[in-house]
Amino acid sequence: MDPGQGGVDRGAKGAFHSTLESELTLRTGLLAAEKLRAAGAIVTMTRMNNDYFLLANRVFQSESVFADAFISIHYNSSLSPDVSGLSTFYNKSGDQELAQSIQAEILNGGTNLKDRGAKFGDYYVIRENQRPAALIELGFLSNRQDELQAETQDFQENAVSGIVNGLENYFNQR
């Protein structure tokens, strides 16, 4: 589990409440790890606090533990405050099913996010990763509604349940 950003890389900043992406990704990632462990998964975290780790180190960690899946959690931002919604990215065609499964389950989980789709993305942590990998953008901090929603415990619980269910469905189909 890779909570994006951290340390000196605070990531996106909410336009309305100054919510920091690095704090939200850590909160979401730790909750996801807790729920995955409760379901019997072995979870390795790329970060457990507000430290920064190079992207190459995140990929190396995934590969060194032979992760069954690498999930990178992020929150997006746009110059337009009207852009909103959930996207899940994959880089290799073999990872498309993983991204689609997670995307579908997060949407089904009561997050009320607009569906921006599971699609190709050229992000280092998924491009360079030899393990199955997906990068999730859980809404736009530049959008007032997405930011307000992302800060709530209900949203966090629903998003994480979607991630867990998406992983479960993906592995059950293999």
Side-chain angles (χ1 to χ4, degrees), residues 3-4 8-9 16 23 31 34 36 41 52 60 71 76 91 107 109-110 125 128 134 145 164-165 174:
V8 297
D9 181 4
F16 301 96
E23 292 174 5
L31 183 59
E34 177 185 316
L36 285 164
Y52 175 74
F60 175 78
I71 307 301
N76 217 332
N91 185 267
L107 291 168
V125 294
E128 299 301 320
Q145 185 61 35
V164 172
N165 292 340
R174 299 190 71 65

Side-chain angles (χ1 to χ4, degrees), residues 15-17 24 61 71 141 143:
F16 301 96
H17 286 154
L24 272 182
Q61 185 175 9
I71 307 301
L141 296 181
N143 176 280

Side-chain angles (χ1 to χ4, degrees), residues 6-125:
V8 297
D9 181 4
R10 299 179 347 180
K13 184 176 181 181
F16 301 96
H17 286 154
S18 299
T19 305
L20 294 178
E21 180 182 8
S22 60
E23 292 174 5
L24 272 182
T25 60
L26 183 59
R27 182 173 153 199
T28 308
L30 291 171
L31 183 59
E34 177 185 316
K35 289 190 178 287
L36 285 164
R37 287 182 181 122
I42 298 169
V43 180
T44 301
M45 298 289 292
T46 58
R47 69 181 183 103
M48 296 285 295
N49 52 38
N50 197 30
D51 290 341
Y52 175 74
F53 294 94
L54 295 172
L55 299 178
N57 291 352
R58 294 169 192 246
V59 171
F60 175 78
Q61 185 175 9
S62 169
E63 292 176 355
S64 69
V65 299
F66 300 98
D68 292 324
F70 176 87
I71 307 301
S72 190
I73 298 173
H74 295 265
Y75 290 83
N76 217 332
S77 185
S78 172
L79 294 176
S80 170
D82 297 328
V83 177
S84 69
L86 167 72
S87 299
T88 306
F89 295 94
Y90 61 91
N91 185 267
K92 297 163 194 67
S93 61
D95 297 344
Q96 185 173 0
E97 288 178 26
L98 173 63
Q100 288 172 332
S101 181
I102 291 170
Q103 177 84 5
E105 289 301 322
I106 292 172
L107 291 168
N108 290 337
T111 58
N112 298 317
L113 289 170
K114 175 184 171 189
D115 183 2
R116 297 179 59 84
K119 50 193 166 187
F120 175 84
D122 192 26
Y123 299 104
Y124 186 94
V125 294

